Amino acid sequence: MLSMEYMIQLASAFLGSMGFALLFHIRREKLLLASLGGLLTWGVYLAAGGLTGEDVPRFFLASVAAAIYAEVMARVVKCPATLFAVTAAIPLVPGGSLYKTMQYFMEQEFALCSVQGLNTMLLAMAIALGMLCPMSLFHFIRQAGPGLERRRRARGERG
């Protein structure tokens, strides 16, 4: 059973994604689907907490889920995957970590600033790599697909 804290976090992820979807002028018929991506992404992040307490792998897994969701939804509703990828990734933006980094810098706590800054960069890299892997795979499959079909027909094989 989901705790109240998790339900609040999931609702916040949904509403935050919806806010950005509205900001990006996403059409009404795609607004709910775009917002659900943020909920799904944060849900994967929370679920990954059962596997590891470390944020970097959790952010990576959640961004992989966001990219897969974006690619699938793009095929379903026939629109660019970017529309879903950006809104689904909104809950993962490491704003709190960046804020702490800048706070330590302004307080001249340079040792803490460098540790927090490194953590912020690792989170950003986990998000980027998590999005890149599935999107590259989908792109490769799309590019290889028509060529494979032509070669199969040329050999007389049935698909």
Side-chain angles (χ1 to χ4, degrees), residues 98-158:
L98 183 58
Y99 176 84
K100 283 184 178 179
T101 302
M102 296 310 296
Q103 181 181 14
Y104 291 142
F105 180 79
M106 296 305 291
E107 293 171 352
Q108 296 183 355
E109 297 282 350
F110 299 118
L112 292 173
C113 175
S114 62
V115 169
Q116 190 65 45
L118 177 61
N119 184 58
T120 303
M121 289 175 52
L122 288 172
L123 293 177
M125 288 173 48
I127 295 167
L129 288 173
M131 297 288 259
L132 178 69
C133 293
M135 287 186 159
S136 297
L137 183 62
F138 274 87
H139 179 75
F140 175 75
I141 291 169
R142 272 194 316 273
Q143 295 300 313
L148 289 174
E149 184 60 32
R150 277 194 299 271
R151 286 191 295 275
R152 201 178 294 143
R153 277 189 297 219
R155 290 189 304 239
E157 297 177 12
R158 289 192 154 171

Side-chain angles (χ1 to χ4, degrees), residues 15-91:
L15 292 172
S17 294
M18 182 177 279
F20 274 88
L22 289 168
L23 185 67
F24 297 145
H25 302 290
I26 292 178
R27 292 188 178 170
R28 186 172 298 162
E29 62 271 9
K30 296 178 179 105
L31 188 63
L32 180 63
L33 294 174
S35 304
L36 284 173
L39 183 140
L40 170 79
T41 300
W42 197 250
V44 170
Y45 171 82
L46 292 174
L51 301 173
T52 178
E54 297 293 320
D55 269 347
V56 174
R58 291 171 74 185
F59 271 65
F60 177 79
L61 291 172
S63 62
V64 166
I68 292 170
Y69 178 79
E71 292 289 341
V72 169
M73 293 313 300
R75 300 315 171 274
V76 170
V77 298
K78 296 178 178 30
C79 69
T82 308
L83 180 144
F84 297 105
V86 171
T87 54
I90 291 299

